[in-house]
Amino acid sequence: ILDYGGPNVAKELHVGHLRTAIIGESFKRTLRFAGARVTGDVHLGDWGVQMGQLLTQVRDEQPDLVYFDDGYRGPYPEESPVSIEDLQRLYPVSAARMKAEPAFAAAARHATVDLQAGRPGYRALWQHFRDVSVEAIGRVYDDLDVSFDVWLGESSVHDRIGPMVERLESSGVAEPSDGAVVVHVSRDDEEHQIPPLMLVKSDGGYAYATTDLATVEERVEDLEGTGAIYFVDARQSLHFEQVFRAARKGGIAPEAFVLEHAPNGTVNGPDGTPLRTRDGDLPLLRDALADIESIATASMDAKGLAADYPAAERERIAWLVGMAAVKFGDLSNHRTSSYIFDLERFSSFEGKTGPYLLYVAVRISSLLKKADEMGLERGPILAPAHDSERALLLEISEFAEAVERSIALRAPNHVAEYCYELSGAFNRFYEQCHILSEEDGSLQSSWLAVAALTRRVVVTSLDLLGISVPDRM
């Protein structure tokens, strides 16, 4: 089970969501390519006090809605009274009120308790929040060609929490501490002690970590996984260490069940600090994607690509170039490294970039198409006749090793690096071995077969990175 994505209901995706999404997607594709059975889980943030604050804000603005009528017995409307645009306005407004208005904060906490206790009107309105958010979030992930097998979230394990905490308390794994309930996870032989994992806060509410612990239980019991790998920001490392240790100590996850946090670094701006807008917020992902397509189009214009193509095809190619730019720009770095988000550099067709790799793949396609039009056939691959051909064939032979290394280290950058090296090896071969004008028919057909094999490996490598190749440029 791969945990990647992690968006929150009622909040737009920002560039911080980009890394975990494309790293997790790439790793999922690579594992499946190698034959593993994989479940990708988006793990929505769809529960907790932020839902209570939204309910309270909507009630303050629209008190006459049936969801707030204690005497109403349903059925509740199928159409949501709020749109995703409404939620994106309501969320920051309610968050600000939580800090500034004690009465509002108390009401929001009370609404959260009522929601989690199953109040019908609150549950119905919350479901609308979730549905419109999932639809909007899903559209962005579709644009990114990122998919999930299950759209579970914090809410899906709510009913597990009470019995789980009770079991941990009765077994002595969980203990009272200053009015709270905690699990001690430090070991006596450790130089630096790890703080206890809090299950129940002193006010009686469940902690965030409690939901993650219940999620481990869900993945062991319901999803029947052999393990779970979490592609989440490196700043969550301590949190996951606490959760994993508590899961082992409480018998929630057997030793054979893999629990692993595969941390990723941050996406940084030109100054080397985490990317932010002028207001101090993370840039919205939809804004970044619009910029990507615009910059990719300019990069294509500078190289004179697809200039006379139909508008719809040209737009589609620009989108694929933009996606290749941003995905390779990220995945060419080791996931633990932070990197500078530089769309101008990522979108170049020169150097170690996604567009350069697309150009190589399309170049090979064009070569093979011309050969087909000339009636040339691809034959068996002969022993290499030139050093550049030998180097290319040796590079092709290292594909499996790159895939295995990527899986073992949970690091797609090994496939990205391999694809770049393979593309460079082909370009050197192509410059020195003039395939279409070669007079030796056997050698020519062998070279065509080498070119076709190279394209297959390049396109497969790019697909493992979540990058699609256009038919032409």
Side-chain angles (χ1 to χ4, degrees):
I1 298 151
L2 302 184
D3 182 320
Y4 59 103
N8 291 313
V9 162
K11 294 183 72 176
E12 283 207 72
L13 295 176
H14 53 67
V15 293
H17 291 110
L18 188 63
R19 288 215 80 182
T20 177
I22 61 179
I23 291 172
E25 176 71 19
S26 176
F27 193 69
K28 178 188 70 179
R29 292 181 180 213
T30 306
L31 277 180
R32 284 182 176 160
F33 180 79
R37 183 168 61 91
V38 186
T39 297
D41 182 5
V42 69
H43 196 64
L44 283 170
D46 63 353
W47 211 235
V49 72
Q50 68 267 33
M51 296 298 103
Q53 73 188 41
L54 281 172
L55 289 167
T56 305
Q57 185 66 34
V58 173
R59 187 190 62 193
D60 285 357
E61 295 186 9
Q62 302 182 67
D64 295 332
L65 290 176
V66 294
Y67 306 96
F68 307 114
D69 183 350
D70 290 338
Y72 188 78
R73 293 295 176 263
Y76 291 95
E78 293 185 6
E79 185 174 345
S80 174
V82 292
S83 65
I84 188 62
E85 289 77 17
D86 293 329
L87 289 176
Q88 288 158 6
R89 177 187 64 80
L90 291 164
Y91 196 100
V93 169
S94 61
R97 293 184 69 188
M98 286 289 290
K99 297 177 181 178
E101 303 176 31
F104 179 87
R109 286 191 290 271
H110 185 71
T112 303
V113 172
D114 286 348
L115 169 68
Q116 295 179 351
R119 179 170 169 173
Y122 282 12
R123 283 289 179 98
L125 185 52
W126 166 83
Q127 190 65 53
H128 286 313
F129 293 166
R130 193 183 195 279
D131 289 346
V132 297
S133 296
V134 166
E135 182 182 358
I137 291 167
R139 285 197 299 268
V140 178
Y141 281 136
D142 285 345
D143 286 343
L144 288 170
D145 201 12
V146 169
S147 64
F148 303 91
D149 302 290
V150 291
W151 284 73
L152 300 175
E154 297 165 355
S155 62
S156 68
V157 299
H158 174 71
D159 293 339
R160 288 181 175 274
I161 292 178
M164 180 190 72
V165 171
E166 185 178 333
R167 188 173 67 252
L168 293 174
E169 285 187 284
S170 63
S171 66
V173 172
E175 306 171 21
S177 176
D178 296 328
V181 177
V182 303
V183 177
H184 292 282
V185 294
S186 245
R187 298 170 185 146
D188 293 338
D189 59 349
E190 289 180 319
E191 181 178 351
H192 300 288
Q193 296 291 293
I194 293 180
L197 179 81
M198 182 177 292
L199 289 179
V200 184
K201 295 179 285 188
S202 57
D203 63 3
Y206 295 122
Y208 174 69
T210 319
T211 300
D212 272 352
L213 195 58
T215 299
V216 173
E217 182 182 87
E218 176 187 50
R219 289 170 174 171
V220 172
E221 296 181 356
D222 291 5
L223 299 183
E224 299 179 345
T226 56
I229 302 176
Y230 296 69
F231 290 92
V232 183
D233 193 311
R235 289 169 288 191
Q236 296 292 317
S237 293
L238 175 59
H239 166 77
F240 283 115
E241 183 65 20
Q242 292 173 301
V243 170
F244 295 164
R245 289 191 182 192
R248 301 287 191 212
K249 186 174 181 179
I252 291 170
E255 287 300 325
F257 188 89
V258 174
L259 283 173
E260 181 179 335
H261 176 212
N264 58 265
T266 58
V267 180
N268 294 340
D271 62 353
T273 61
L275 195 62
R276 300 277 178 180
T277 64
R278 291 180 180 177
D279 296 329
D281 300 320
L282 283 165
L284 296 179
L285 190 48
R286 60 179 170 82
D287 293 338
L289 295 182
D291 290 342
I292 289 166
E293 186 175 7
S294 174
I295 292 172
T297 300
S299 185
M300 287 168 54
D301 290 343
K303 200 167 177 64
L305 297 174
D308 56 351
Y309 291 5
E313 182 184 9
R314 178 176 165 78
E315 185 176 326
R316 175 61 180 164
I317 293 172
W319 179 259
L320 293 179
V321 168
M323 287 298 96
V326 72
K327 288 183 178 182
F328 191 83
D330 186 309
L331 296 173
S332 59
N333 300 282
H334 191 279
R335 61 172 167 75
T336 60
S337 301
S338 299
Y339 72 94
I340 293 176
F341 193 72
D342 186 345
L343 290 179
E344 296 285 351
R345 179 170 62 83
F346 293 167
S347 298
S348 173
F349 281 89
E350 308 295 333
K352 194 174 184 178
T353 68
Y356 164 74
L357 300 181
L358 291 190
Y359 186 71
V360 171
V362 171
R363 186 182 197 185
I364 301 174
S365 296
S366 178
L367 163 68
L368 296 173
K369 182 180 179 182
K370 287 180 182 177
D372 290 342
E373 292 170 350
M374 294 169 63
L376 303 178
E377 295 184 357
R378 303 165 200 174
I381 295 177
L382 305 176
H386 291 269
D387 288 345
S388 61
E389 181 187 5
R390 180 177 184 275
L392 174 58
L393 290 171
L394 287 172
E395 193 70 49
I396 290 172
S397 74
E398 294 178 6
F399 171 67
E401 182 183 343
V403 171
E404 290 169 356
R405 191 162 56 246
S406 179
I407 291 172
L409 300 175
R410 283 76 163 117
N413 66 291
H414 293 288
V415 170
E417 182 68 27
Y418 170 78
C419 191
Y420 173 70
E421 294 296 335
L422 176 61
S423 298
F426 175 81
N427 276 342
R428 290 186 288 274
F429 160 71
Y430 185 70
E431 289 169 2
Q432 295 179 28
C433 300
H434 304 136
I435 301 173
L436 297 182
S437 60
E438 175 57 44
E439 296 180 356
D440 184 325
S442 296
L443 187 58
Q444 184 182 59
S445 63
S446 173
W447 284 351
L448 285 172
V450 170
L453 178 58
T454 303
R455 184 188 184 279
R456 178 181 170 190
V457 179
V458 168
V459 171
T460 300
S461 299
L462 289 173
D463 182 67
L464 297 182
L465 300 175
I467 296 173
S468 299
V469 179
D471 294 328
R472 60 175 187 162
M473 280 186 183

